[in-house]
Amino acid sequence: MSEGDILGAALDVLNDAERAHYDQLIATTALLADISFADILVLLPAGDDGAGDGSAGPHFVITAHSRPVTSQTVHPDDLVGLAVTGNERPLAALALQSGVSVNGGAYLPGQQHWVQSLAVPVNFANRTIAVLLREFPSVSDRVWGRLENNYFGLFRRLAGMIADGVYPYAAGPGDHDHPPRVGDGVILLDAWQRVEYLTPNAQSALRRLGINADPTGRRLAHVGIEPRALQLTVATSLPHTEEIERNGHSVVSRCLPLIQEDTLTGVLLLVRDITELRRANRLLITKNAALAEVHHRVKNNLQTVSSLLSLQSRWLESPEAKDALAESARRIRLIAAVHELLSGPDGDSTPFESVVASLSSLLRESLAPPNAPISITLEGAVGPLPSEVMTTMVIVLNELVQNAVDHGFGGATAIADGNEILVRIGREGPELQVSVTDNGSGAPDGVLEEGLGLTLVRTLIENDLGGRLAHRSESGGTTVELSAPLPAAGI
């Protein structure tokens, strides 16, 4: 049986409530690793022969592995998905069978070294559904002080809650975009919400909020601050998160209740100073607003230029001049439309096919009378393209569709039912492939080579994009094919 099959079989044994409890535990292994200065493993039972090696006794599959940021790791390699036997993790087997925590040492045959280990049964609804292992080097040169003793004391309390089935909690602490970790700051409160211990980082966070007095031995309310999240945690024995803003500073506080025998024995507060992050967010919002205003003005200016050209054409008598100004105005309107698409919320993530679809709608409205619309069909997809490629390709497609109307269908006034244009787009390796085919009568010899539209297309494709262009025209219609290399960012 493969490791994936073993993991799937182990998870299938859990019912919905057990799976939810297990998932919440997995989400907190980083916290447990940080406060215990050790690697945290979660093992799911995989039957008496889950590893498929024929050995007797319980087998496990490692489903989570978190390394501490507060200490060295004992397992440089990721162990998730590894199937192990009860002989390889004897303390896990004992915790699974007894339902109580087991402490001791273990020799890891695969890694050929000893580790110190604490095996904690993950009990839920009177059943052990998993085992949590704390593994750390048997020999360490770390000098333990007050911080280490408090951190490890917290871990032992949480480990006891895991064995009692009350951790992880029935509800999460709430989402936050910058959740605090142990290294950001820790405040430990007793059963009466008095501060037993706080780390230097936590002290600094309180000072940012204007709390300069040492809160040790006092309630936070007595030194000038009492987070609403703390009040809710004490009232409900559930975790809560709150962001506090004061004196121009922002601190996020995550409150975790410490429970023993259904009694609240303390509260663990994780705090993080996110003032600079919030300032950066506000600056980014301001810059985004300014950029959006610039895009809006560019679009309006382009539309103004288009309107001016349209007004100017009314004062001209020459049909050629009128057509030239009308064509220039239409090109500018299309550029404005593409600019609006690319400056929207999706930005550079807008698929090229979406832009082409929008372009097709604009061309149908501007090139054909309502009683005889052109059928423009799009085939293929290429995903997002760099904005400079996107803009150039829109101008190119505009010219090619215009050529199909003028030379294939005989002009806008000659459009009839059944006039169709097919646009195909795709990728071939690092190149963009585009073709435009119409079912018109075909262009007269030399018209495509001499026309302004195809000259503009050839210049944009060959000079700006470094691509190639080819075309063929016959009585059944005209096809123009082009290819252009995409920059590395657009592949």
Side-chain angles (χ1 to χ4, degrees):
M1 184 182 293
S2 67
E3 292 179 356
D5 293 336
I6 296 173
L7 175 58
L11 290 173
D12 287 342
V13 174
L14 303 178
N15 60 38
D16 291 344
E18 292 171 343
R19 181 61 185 269
H21 190 79
Y22 160 83
D23 289 339
Q24 290 174 347
L25 176 65
I26 298 299
T28 67
T29 53
L31 166 68
L32 299 174
D34 288 345
I35 64 173
S36 67
F37 309 99
D39 287 54
I40 294 295
L41 309 176
V42 176
L43 283 64
L44 277 179
D48 288 341
D49 192 17
D53 57 5
S55 60
H59 292 73
F60 303 92
V61 58
I62 299 175
T63 59
H65 178 195
S66 291
R67 299 180 183 88
V69 299
T70 52
S71 182
Q72 66 184 22
T73 179
V74 73
H75 297 301
D77 297 328
D78 188 24
L79 303 184
V80 173
L82 180 65
V84 297
T85 66
N87 292 332
E88 293 173 309
R89 293 296 195 281
L91 296 181
L94 186 56
L96 177 65
Q97 294 170 352
S98 65
V100 297
S101 299
V102 184
N103 193 16
Y107 180 75
L108 305 180
Q111 302 181 38
Q112 297 183 349
H113 65 86
W114 284 87
V115 296
Q116 291 294 315
S117 181
L118 172 65
V120 181
V122 181
N123 293 320
F124 180 77
N126 299 319
R127 191 171 88 86
T128 302
I129 63 174
V131 176
L132 182 141
L133 283 180
R134 172 185 182 259
E135 294 189 340
F136 58 100
S138 58
V139 178
S140 174
D141 57 0
R142 185 184 188 99
V143 178
W144 280 53
R146 189 182 177 196
L147 181 145
E148 287 79 4
N149 289 326
N150 276 282
Y151 276 17
F152 188 65
L154 280 171
F155 172 76
R156 293 302 296 260
R157 294 169 76 173
L158 291 176
M161 293 168 61
I162 292 173
D164 290 341
V166 295
Y167 186 91
Y169 307 102
D175 293 331
H176 193 275
D177 50 354
H178 303 294
R181 292 194 63 171
V182 169
D184 297 318
V186 170
I187 302 176
L188 178 60
L189 307 180
D190 63 16
W192 295 271
Q193 294 90 60
R194 296 175 303 199
V195 176
E196 288 187 354
Y197 174 76
L198 74 166
T199 62
N201 284 348
Q203 181 74 67
S204 298
L206 292 181
R207 287 177 180 171
R208 299 289 189 278
L209 299 177
I211 309 302
N212 296 316
D214 182 4
T216 304
R218 307 166 64 186
R219 298 182 60 160
L220 290 177
H222 295 162
V223 296
I225 182 173
E226 187 171 14
R228 173 64 175 166
L230 175 59
Q231 300 175 19
L232 293 173
T233 295
V234 172
T236 64
S237 292
L238 291 173
H240 292 276
T241 299
E242 177 185 8
E243 185 171 329
I244 305 170
E245 293 187 4
R246 185 185 293 185
N247 300 329
H249 294 273
S250 298
V251 172
V252 58
S253 170
R254 176 160 289 186
C255 303
L256 306 176
L258 302 174
I259 302 169
Q260 184 176 3
E261 297 180 353
D262 297 328
T263 301
L264 183 72
T265 61
V267 178
L268 167 62
L269 267 72
L270 301 176
V271 294
R272 181 183 182 185
D273 182 3
I274 59 171
T275 302
E276 294 305 319
L277 292 172
R278 282 290 176 253
R279 288 175 180 171
N281 287 344
R282 285 192 288 268
L283 180 61
L284 183 60
I285 291 173
T286 301
K287 288 186 175 181
N288 284 341
L291 187 60
E293 178 63 22
V294 169
H295 284 309
H296 181 69
R297 293 187 181 185
V298 169
K299 182 194 70 172
N300 287 346
N301 288 340
L302 288 171
Q303 292 175 340
T304 299
V305 172
S306 175
S307 299
L308 289 174
L309 290 175
S310 298
L311 288 173
Q312 184 66 41
S313 67
R314 298 179 183 177
W315 295 90
L316 299 176
E317 297 182 358
S318 169
E320 293 82 1
K322 285 179 175 290
D323 290 343
L325 287 182
E327 179 62 22
S328 297
R330 187 166 55 82
R331 287 174 178 143
I332 292 174
R333 286 197 300 272
L334 288 172
I335 293 174
V338 175
H339 176 82
E340 184 174 12
L341 284 172
L342 297 182
S343 63
D346 295 334
D348 289 339
S349 64
T350 303
F352 181 51
E353 51 269 22
S354 297
V355 176
V356 176
S358 299
L359 172 66
S360 299
S361 299
L362 292 173
L363 292 176
R364 277 193 293 265
E365 295 173 1
S366 61
L367 294 180
N371 60 341
I374 306 172
S375 173
I376 302 178
T377 304
L378 171 66
E379 291 184 358
V382 296
L385 295 177
S387 58
E388 63 274 12
V389 176
M390 190 94 75
T391 303
T392 300
M393 290 305 306
V394 166
I395 297 175
V396 166
L397 289 175
N398 169 50
E399 298 301 330
L400 294 180
V401 173
Q402 177 72 60
N403 275 336
V405 172
D406 292 342
H407 306 303
F409 304 147
T413 58
I415 292 176
D417 290 338
N419 290 141
E420 297 179 355
I421 297 176
L422 174 62
V423 180
R424 291 189 178 96
I425 59 176
R427 293 178 186 263
E428 187 173 328
E431 287 192 334
L432 172 67
Q433 303 285 334
V434 177
S435 70
V436 177
T437 302
D438 66 70
N439 65 346
S441 59
D445 293 340
V447 170
L448 289 179
E449 288 82 354
E450 298 173 0
L452 173 62
L454 200 64
T455 300
L456 177 60
V457 169
R458 190 179 300 277
T459 300
L460 292 173
I461 293 299
E462 296 180 352
N463 295 348
D464 290 9
L465 300 183
R468 303 179 303 278
L469 181 144
H471 61 84
R472 59 181 183 274
S473 183
E474 50 195 22
S475 59
T478 301
T479 297
V480 180
E481 298 175 339
L482 57 91
S483 61
L486 293 173
I491 297 177

